[in-house]
């Protein structure tokens, strides 16, 4: 296995080095000191400032470079390859004009063109097209912008694939999205929360074509306008807009197989006529999934009566056979009262259910008591339901661009876990016994939210924003655990493991934000204030925990262009991550009688301060340095039970501090016209430190990861893809995590003018994706977690109707930060 990986890695790295060499050789054709200059004027010989001037090859008019004229209508290109060229000029309201062809070489370094006269266009404004190509990567104040529209790097792919190629973004095997090594990303569409869980967001992005996207904004330090939740930042996907009427939609069907079968299908419809826009979608999935966990644990107990300690070794092997059915749906409508005012309604939700068959063997070896074993057989039935309702309004108040938007939301979530486990014990003295455990855990969550946002433009380059949001959350979790020795005996409730927990939370937030953007620089600064009042009530234990606090979340972003090659960005923000509702519930999740996980009602939110500095070189290569410090970081720990040290449980707790210092480089490399390569390299040092609540440790390690994506265009309708990811060993809290290397490949084929698409992917070709984790804190433990990852998938997609029908208006439902804390 390692030999195959080494061979593949050598091949890929060799290709990279060859590319660098090719690029270097290509640069030798450039003539240092060469210059092409000229000017653009109108029919009255007045200079045209900010006209788009394109340098084209004389042979086939292919684009070489673009630039803009200055205030005097002048333009220039420097250090150009030898060859024959011509230039064109375009500007809104003026005709497109071309120069005569000219030649440049070492004997003709300076070329001064005659004035190009561009008369007024006689056509109407709507028929004029500005031809200006944006760089693939662009830095603006508080965000990095990926210009998807018109980019060959993203042509013919899905939104998820484009996102995977974006600098600093990684997506794991479970479709969890992280930026710069940190999880907790908020995904938005057109500046509005998607109101979807992680799997639903992934499904939406995999079914969205890249030609629907204009830009992707990577906001590592969001402004005060956004919810303070999401410590890693925000990914905002901006879609293209148009005004055509009619119907369009997509139908998708797919199947996959690894160790189990997988099926999916769905449809998306959008209809617009006159003042009404109706839209909806439905997606279905029926997926199997196998998972194994092999664990070794050693517990040492001090014996006061003798000089010999009791050493007990646990060797555990568990397997899960999962089958899950997912249904998600959305239905909405917009009514355009007039061109300035729109109201809308939205209903969406999901209905998911699953069955998990669990088997396990635990072998216990003790130097004092002898050998014992436990054999486990269990069935867990799960169901999760969610319905959400939204009413929204958006209006432009006057011709200056003042905007007001408002949302009212309500959501209800219901979840049930019903587990039955059969435990068969073989004791050291040769006797055996059985015990049945029933674990029933219903959960009910209600969320309501109201919000309003106001935008006040001060002039063409600056604006002021104000907003307010209130949310109310009530969760009701009732854990019922009962035991019996055999089927003939009645169930007996276990008072130590039963708990009815009710949690209430109210968050009130307000913000103010100012931004100004000039030709070469920009600034954004704001402040968000959030008041949180919560009450956790254990009805079983008669304990109440109240919290009431006000927190301030400032943000500042600066951007500055330096010459034509560099664009610098500097940003700072403070963010918060609140515990998921599931982790606040003291629910027990048993691996076996000696190993389990439980929630923590005392878990506090974590706060993160982030500083980021970046440099984008010539719109392509982007390098950044970032530092973040998290207070009260929420991490998982393993602890022995106080009154029985043979039992070990995992629990999420707060530690004093987490620091991350990172460096990231993103380098897109066009190897040839048919081979595009994207390289993303991250190196970071992550450290944890705490000395409170009985916790005392200091850990840290420098780690790195490398992603390489390759796209091969055989022709306009057929392409190949290959990607390689490597994650070095790292330390996360008390756990040491082993390295991983994964290779994926696939192909895509389009038919019927790209309306019908076939795509096949083979993930984890060498079946190497696994989690290897160990710790010596509290208990000596190591385990290997291997999920089903070597999977082949075939997906068919058909698009119908008018491709230019306007996308459904995106809106914020106001519940994204709350819905992300629910289980589904």
């Amino acid at each position: 296995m390692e030999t195959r990986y080494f061979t593949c890695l050598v091949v890929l790295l060799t290709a990279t080095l060859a590319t660098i060499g090719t690029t270097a050789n290509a640069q030798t054709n450039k003539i240092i000191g060469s210059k092409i200059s000229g000017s653009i004027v109108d029919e009255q010989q007045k200079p045209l400032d900010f006209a788009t001037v394109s340098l084209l090859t004389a042979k086939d008019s292919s684009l070489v470079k673009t630039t803009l004229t200055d205030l005097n209508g002048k333009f220039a290109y420097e250090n150009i390859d030898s060859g024959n060229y011509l230039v064109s000029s375009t500007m809104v309201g003026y005709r497109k004009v071309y120069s005569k062809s000219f030649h440049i070489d070492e004997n003709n370094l300076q070329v001064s063109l005659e004035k190009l006269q561009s008369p007024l266009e006689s056509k109407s404004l709507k028929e004029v097209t500005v031809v200006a190509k944006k760089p693939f990567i662009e830095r603006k104040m508080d965000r990095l912008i990926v210009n998807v529209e018109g980019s060959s790097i993203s042509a013919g792919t899905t939104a998820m694939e484009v996102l995977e190629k974006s600098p600093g973004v990684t997506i794991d095997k479970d479709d969890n999205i992280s930026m710069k090594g940190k999880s907790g990303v908020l995904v938005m569409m057109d500046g509005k929360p998607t109101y979807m869980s992680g799997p639903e967001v992934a499904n939406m992005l995999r079914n969205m074509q890249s030609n629907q996207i204009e830009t992707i904004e990577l906001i590592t330090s969001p402004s005060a306008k956004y919810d303070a939740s999401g410590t890693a930042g925000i990914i905002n996907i901006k879609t293209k807009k148009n005004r055509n009427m009619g119907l369009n939609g997509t139908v998708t069907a797919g199947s996959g197989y690894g160790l189990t079968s997988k099926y999916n299908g769905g449809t998306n419809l959008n209809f617009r006529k006159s003042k009404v826009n109706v839209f909806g979608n439905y997606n279905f999935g029926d997926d199997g999934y196998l998972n194994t966990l092999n664990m070794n644990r050693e517990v040492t107990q001090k014996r006061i009566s003798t000089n010999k300690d009791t050493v007990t070794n646990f060797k555990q092997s568990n397997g899960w056979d999962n089958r899950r059915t997912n249904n998600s749906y959305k239905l909405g409508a917009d009514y355009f009262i007039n061109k300035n005012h729109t109201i809308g309604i939205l209903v969406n939700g999901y209905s998911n259910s699953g069955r998990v068959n669990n088997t396990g063997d635990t072998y216990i070896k003790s130097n004092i008591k002898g050998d014992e074993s436990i054999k486990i057989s269990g069935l867990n039935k799960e169901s999760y339901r969610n319905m959400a309702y939204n009413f929204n309004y958006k209006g432009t108040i006057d011709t200056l661009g003042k905007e007001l938007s408002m949302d009212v939301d309500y959501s209800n979530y219901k979840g049930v876990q019903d587990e039955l486990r059969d435990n068969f014990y073989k004791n050291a003295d040769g006797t055996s016994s059985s015990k049945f455990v029933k674990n029933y855990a219903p959960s009910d969550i209600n969320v309501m939210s109201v919000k309003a946002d106001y935008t006040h433009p001060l002039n063409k380059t600056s604006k002021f924003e104000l907003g307010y949001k209130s949310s109310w959350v009530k969760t009701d979790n009732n854990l019922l655990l009962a035991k019996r020795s055999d089927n003939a005996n009645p169930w007996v409730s276990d008072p130590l493991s039963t708990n009815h927990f009710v949690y209430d939370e109210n968050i009130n937030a307000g913000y103010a934000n100012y931004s100004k953007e000039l030709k070469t620089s920009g600034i954004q600064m704001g402040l968000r204030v959030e008041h949180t009042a919560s009450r956790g009530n254990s009805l079983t234990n008669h304990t109440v925990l109240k919290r009431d606090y006000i927190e301030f979340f400032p943000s500042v972003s600066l951007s500055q262009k330096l010459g034509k090659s560099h664009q610098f960005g500097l940003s700072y923000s403070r963010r918060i991550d609140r515990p998921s509702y599931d982790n606040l519930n003291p629910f027990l999740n048993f691996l076996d009688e000696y190993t389990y996980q439980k929630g923590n009602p005392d878990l506090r939110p974590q706060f993160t301060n982030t500083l980021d500095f970046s440099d984008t070189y010539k719109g392509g290569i982007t390098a950044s340095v970032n530092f973040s410090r998290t207070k009260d970081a929420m991490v998982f720990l393993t602890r022995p039970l106080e009154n029985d040290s043979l039992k070990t449980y995992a629990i999420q707790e707060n530690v004093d501090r987490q620091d991350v210092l990172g460096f990231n480089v993103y380098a897109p490399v066009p190897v040839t016209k048919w081979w595009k390569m994207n390289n993303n390299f991250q190196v970071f040092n992550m450290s944890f430190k705490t000395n409170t609540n009985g916790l005392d440790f200091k850990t840290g390690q420098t780690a790195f990861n490398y992603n390489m994506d390759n796209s091969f265009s055989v022709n306009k309708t057929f392409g190949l893809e290959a990607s390689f990811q490597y994650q070095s060993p790292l330390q996360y809290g008390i756990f040491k995590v082993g390295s991983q290397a994964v290779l994926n490949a696939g192909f895509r084929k389009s038919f019927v003018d790209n309306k019908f698409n076939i795509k096949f992917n083979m993930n984890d070709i060498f079946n190497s994706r696994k989690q290897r984790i160990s710790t010596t804190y509290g208990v000596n433990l190591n385990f290997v977690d291997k999920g089903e990852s070597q999977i082949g998938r075939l997906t068919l997609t058909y698009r119908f109707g008018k491709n230019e029908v306007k996308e459904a208006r995106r809106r914020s439902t106001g519940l994204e930060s709350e819905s992300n804390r629910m289980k589904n």
Side-chain angles (χ1 to χ4, degrees):
M1 181 68 71
E2 293 182 356
T3 302
R4 284 186 292 174
Y5 265 118
F6 181 76
T7 303
C8 289
L9 186 57
V10 168
V11 171
L12 292 172
L13 290 178
T14 301
T16 304
L17 293 173
T19 300
I20 295 172
T22 301
T23 304
N25 291 333
Q27 298 299 321
T28 60
N29 293 326
K30 291 188 180 299
I31 303 177
I32 305 301
S34 63
K35 184 176 182 179
I36 303 168
S37 60
S39 61
I40 311 296
V41 296
D42 63 13
E43 53 193 353
Q44 297 179 356
Q45 298 298 313
K46 292 182 179 181
L48 285 181
D49 54 346
F50 303 112
T52 300
V53 184
S54 302
L55 179 64
L56 311 172
T57 59
K59 180 180 180 180
D60 56 5
S61 296
S62 60
L63 180 64
V64 179
K65 278 190 175 182
T66 60
T67 188
L68 298 176
T69 57
D70 61 18
L71 295 175
N72 297 315
K74 295 181 179 180
F75 67 91
Y77 299 100
E78 296 179 349
N79 301 330
I80 302 299
D81 294 354
S82 60
N84 298 315
Y85 299 95
L86 58 93
V87 299
S88 69
S89 172
T90 57
M91 188 173 182
V92 175
Y94 292 83
R95 291 181 186 174
K96 185 175 183 178
V97 293
Y98 294 86
S99 73
K100 296 179 180 179
S101 63
F102 55 90
H103 181 75
I104 190 168
D105 58 24
E106 294 180 352
N107 299 319
N108 188 27
L109 293 176
Q110 305 290 326
V111 176
S112 181
L113 302 176
E114 296 179 357
K115 286 184 180 179
L116 282 178
Q117 186 176 19
S118 181
L120 286 170
E121 177 65 77
S122 59
K123 297 179 181 180
S124 61
L125 180 63
K126 66 181 180 180
E127 295 177 305
V128 179
T129 302
V130 179
V131 184
K133 187 176 182 180
K134 295 181 180 179
F136 185 61
I137 305 296
E138 187 178 4
R139 162 63 66 177
K140 283 194 176 182
M141 287 197 299
D142 63 336
R143 64 198 65 192
L144 201 65
I145 298 177
V146 181
N147 290 303
V148 180
E149 185 177 17
S151 169
S152 60
I153 296 176
S154 307
T157 59
T158 66
M160 180 66 88
E161 291 166 325
V162 176
L163 196 57
E164 289 175 321
K165 298 174 183 177
S166 301
V169 178
T170 55
I171 301 173
D172 68 12
K173 65 180 180 64
D174 299 317
D175 289 327
N176 296 309
I177 302 171
S178 62
M179 283 201 299
K180 297 186 177 180
K182 295 185 292 183
S183 59
V185 177
L186 183 64
V187 178
M188 310 182 81
M189 295 288 294
D190 293 314
K192 311 297 182 183
T194 56
Y195 187 59
M196 292 183 182
S197 64
E200 290 172 336
V201 170
N203 183 63
M204 175 190 70
L205 297 179
R206 293 193 187 282
N207 285 285
M208 176 183 288
Q209 295 298 308
S210 60
N211 58 16
Q212 297 176 254
I213 303 172
E214 182 179 344
T215 61
I216 295 178
E217 298 177 336
L218 309 176
I219 313 172
T220 54
S221 299
S223 71
K225 180 177 181 179
Y226 301 101
D227 281 356
S229 59
T231 55
I234 294 172
I235 295 176
N236 181 31
I237 300 173
K238 299 182 72 173
T239 57
K240 298 177 184 178
K241 299 294 188 295
N242 57 73
R243 300 182 180 276
N244 288 21
M245 304 296 173
L247 171 72
N248 73 356
T250 61
V251 177
T252 302
S255 180
Y257 197 87
L259 298 173
T260 60
S261 59
K262 306 159 201 311
Y263 310 96
N264 68 279
T267 183
N268 181 83
L269 296 172
N270 187 58
F271 174 75
R272 181 167 181 175
K273 183 177 182 180
S274 185
K275 293 185 176 183
V276 177
N277 185 199
V278 180
F279 55 94
N281 62 54
Y282 170 74
N283 289 283
F284 169 80
D286 183 15
D287 297 331
Y289 182 74
L290 295 182
N291 191 76
T292 60
L293 176 68
N294 295 303
M295 180 185 298
N296 294 296
R297 181 162 53 97
E298 182 179 284
V299 178
T300 301
Q301 296 171 298
K302 299 292 183 181
R303 294 171 61 89
I304 301 176
S305 58
T306 66
N307 293 327
K308 189 175 183 181
D309 296 336
T310 301
V311 179
T312 307
N313 290 282
F314 294 81
K315 185 177 181 180
Q316 299 167 252
S317 178
N318 291 79
W320 291 268
D321 185 351
N322 303 265
R323 194 80 207 175
R324 187 168 182 175
T325 302
N326 304 313
N327 298 272
S328 64
Y329 31 82
K330 176 188 290 186
L331 180 64
D334 292 327
Y335 178 70
F336 303 90
I337 301 172
N338 52 45
K339 66 178 182 179
N340 293 328
H341 300 276
T342 305
I343 58 174
I345 58 173
L346 176 67
V347 179
N348 63 1
Y350 56 80
S351 176
N352 305 333
S353 61
R355 293 171 61 92
V356 183
N357 290 287
N358 170 224
T359 58
D361 293 288
T362 300
Y363 298 96
I364 308 169
K365 187 174 184 178
S366 172
N367 63 338
I368 301 296
K369 297 181 180 179
D371 297 346
E372 299 177 330
S373 66
I374 306 174
K375 193 172 188 64
I376 299 170
S377 177
L379 173 63
N380 186 14
K381 299 177 182 179
E382 303 174 330
S383 65
Y384 305 102
R385 308 284 188 271
N386 175 249
M387 287 297 297
Y389 310 89
N390 166 263
F391 174 79
N392 59 84
Y393 161 81
K394 183 176 182 180
T396 301
I397 299 175
D398 57 21
T399 57
L400 299 177
K402 298 175 184 176
E403 288 186 354
L404 176 66
S405 63
M406 295 182 290
D407 289 86
V408 178
D409 298 87
Y410 172 76
S411 174
N412 173 254
Y413 166 92
K414 293 183 182 296
V416 174
Q417 295 189 60
D418 188 359
E419 183 181 26
L420 181 63
R421 300 172 68 92
D422 178 7
N423 300 272
F424 179 78
Y425 301 86
K426 189 174 181 180
N427 304 315
D429 59 5
T431 61
S432 61
S433 60
S434 295
K435 182 187 295 183
F436 296 90
V437 178
K438 184 177 178 61
N439 203 342
Y440 184 74
S443 178
D444 192 353
I445 303 176
N446 289 279
V447 184
M448 184 174 179
S449 170
V450 295
K451 67 187 291 287
D453 298 284
Y454 172 71
T455 301
H456 186 103
L458 301 176
N459 50 49
K460 292 182 178 180
T461 61
S462 62
K463 62 181 178 180
F464 186 69
E465 297 169 295
L466 291 170
Y468 174 82
K469 177 183 175 181
S470 288
S471 65
W472 297 265
V473 179
K474 184 180 182 66
T475 72
D476 190 333
N477 299 285
N478 192 11
L479 170 63
L480 304 171
L481 192 143
K483 301 178 181 178
R484 67 181 180 184
S485 58
D486 55 55
N487 292 325
N489 293 320
W491 289 103
V492 178
S493 176
D494 184 352
L496 298 178
S497 303
T498 297
N499 187 38
H500 189 183
F501 182 72
V502 178
Y503 177 78
D504 293 275
E505 180 184 84
N506 171 225
I507 300 176
N508 300 293
Y511 73 87
N513 193 70
Y514 169 78
S515 62
K516 185 176 182 65
E517 192 163 357
L518 301 175
K519 294 179 182 178
T520 60
S521 62
I523 183 173
Q524 174 278 128
M525 53 186 177
L527 178 67
R528 187 179 185 92
V529 182
E530 293 190 354
H531 168 252
T532 303
S534 64
R535 183 177 186 268
N537 182 11
S538 176
L539 301 179
T540 303
N541 300 328
H542 306 289
T543 58
V544 176
L545 178 62
K546 294 182 179 181
R547 289 199 176 101
D548 195 314
Y549 56 91
I550 297 176
E551 292 290 342
F552 297 85
F553 302 96
S555 63
V556 179
S557 295
L558 304 170
S559 67
Q560 179 66 53
K561 291 182 179 178
L562 187 61
K564 297 181 179 180
S565 299
H566 295 274
Q567 188 169 19
F568 296 100
L570 178 66
S571 61
Y572 163 79
S573 68
R574 184 173 188 257
R575 310 283 292 170
I576 185 175
D577 257 353
R578 297 180 176 88
S580 69
Y581 305 127
D582 189 57
N583 284 331
L584 289 171
N585 176 20
F587 168 77
L588 300 182
N589 185 12
F590 286 90
L591 188 63
D592 60 31
E593 186 174 332
Y594 292 95
T595 316
Y596 57 93
Q597 178 182 322
K598 71 175 183 177
N600 181 7
D602 296 323
L603 196 61
R604 303 185 303 276
Q606 65 181 24
F607 297 88
T608 300
N609 291 275
T610 301
L611 187 65
D612 185 276
F613 175 76
S614 66
D615 176 21
T616 301
Y617 178 69
K618 291 187 176 180
I621 299 175
T622 300
S624 64
V625 178
N626 56 85
F627 175 77
S628 67
R629 170 162 291 179
T630 301
K631 179 184 177 183
D632 291 333
M634 297 181 293
V635 298
F636 273 99
L637 304 172
T638 55
R639 288 179 174 271
L641 196 64
E642 290 184 5
N643 56 358
D644 188 351
S645 59
L646 288 180
K647 295 182 178 180
T648 300
Y649 64 92
I651 186 171
Q652 195 173 33
E653 296 194 33
N654 296 103
V655 300
D656 290 343
R657 195 173 80 191
Q658 174 192 358
D659 291 342
V660 180
L661 175 63
F663 174 72
N664 181 82
V665 175
Y666 171 76
V669 180
V671 184
T672 66
K673 290 183 178 180
W674 52 268
W675 180 7
K676 302 294 188 298
M677 179 190 297
N678 290 276
N679 301 279
N680 193 48
F681 177 78
Q682 294 178 341
V683 58
F684 56 93
N685 180 275
M686 183 183 298
S687 62
F688 296 82
K689 183 179 180 180
T690 191
N691 188 18
T692 57
N693 299 327
L695 301 174
D696 186 7
F697 65 84
K698 182 179 180 181
T699 64
Q701 183 178 347
T702 298
F704 72 91
N705 60 58
Y706 172 64
N707 290 4
M708 179 168 59
D709 296 289
N710 297 272
S711 178
F712 308 92
S713 297
V714 179
N715 54 47
K716 292 183 179 181
T717 63
F718 183 70
L720 304 172
E721 297 175 352
S723 65
F724 174 78
Q725 295 97 34
Y726 176 78
Q727 171 67 64
S728 73
L730 61 88
Q731 179 96 29
Y732 190 88
I734 66 171
F735 296 103
K736 292 183 178 180
V737 183
S739 62
Q740 287 194 86
V742 179
L743 184 66
N744 310 306
F747 71 83
R748 62 183 184 277
K749 175 67 177 175
S750 300
F751 304 89
V752 197
D753 295 329
N754 290 324
K755 290 184 177 181
F756 181 64
N757 293 275
I758 297 178
K759 187 171 184 179
F760 177 78
N761 283 318
M762 188 67 196
N763 294 325
D764 194 8
I765 293 175
F766 296 121
N767 198 27
S768 61
R769 188 187 291 275
K770 64 178 68 174
Q771 293 281 352
R772 294 173 294 167
I773 299 176
S774 64
T775 183
T776 57
Y777 185 85
V779 61
N780 290 328
L781 178 149
N782 66 81
F783 64 86
V784 177
D785 186 4
K786 179 70 178 84
E788 183 181 351
S789 59
Q790 188 182 49
I791 302 171
R793 294 181 182 272
L794 180 67
T795 302
L796 311 178
T797 303
Y798 179 72
R799 295 183 291 111
F800 60 89
K802 295 184 177 180
N803 294 330
E804 289 79 25
V805 174
K806 185 177 180 181
E807 284 283 317
R809 184 175 61 95
R810 305 289 180 179
R811 80 276 297 136
S812 167
T813 63
L815 295 181
E816 180 64 20
S817 61
E818 290 81 11
S819 64
N820 281 344
R821 296 161 67 191
M822 301 178 188
K823 190 173 183 179
N824 60 80

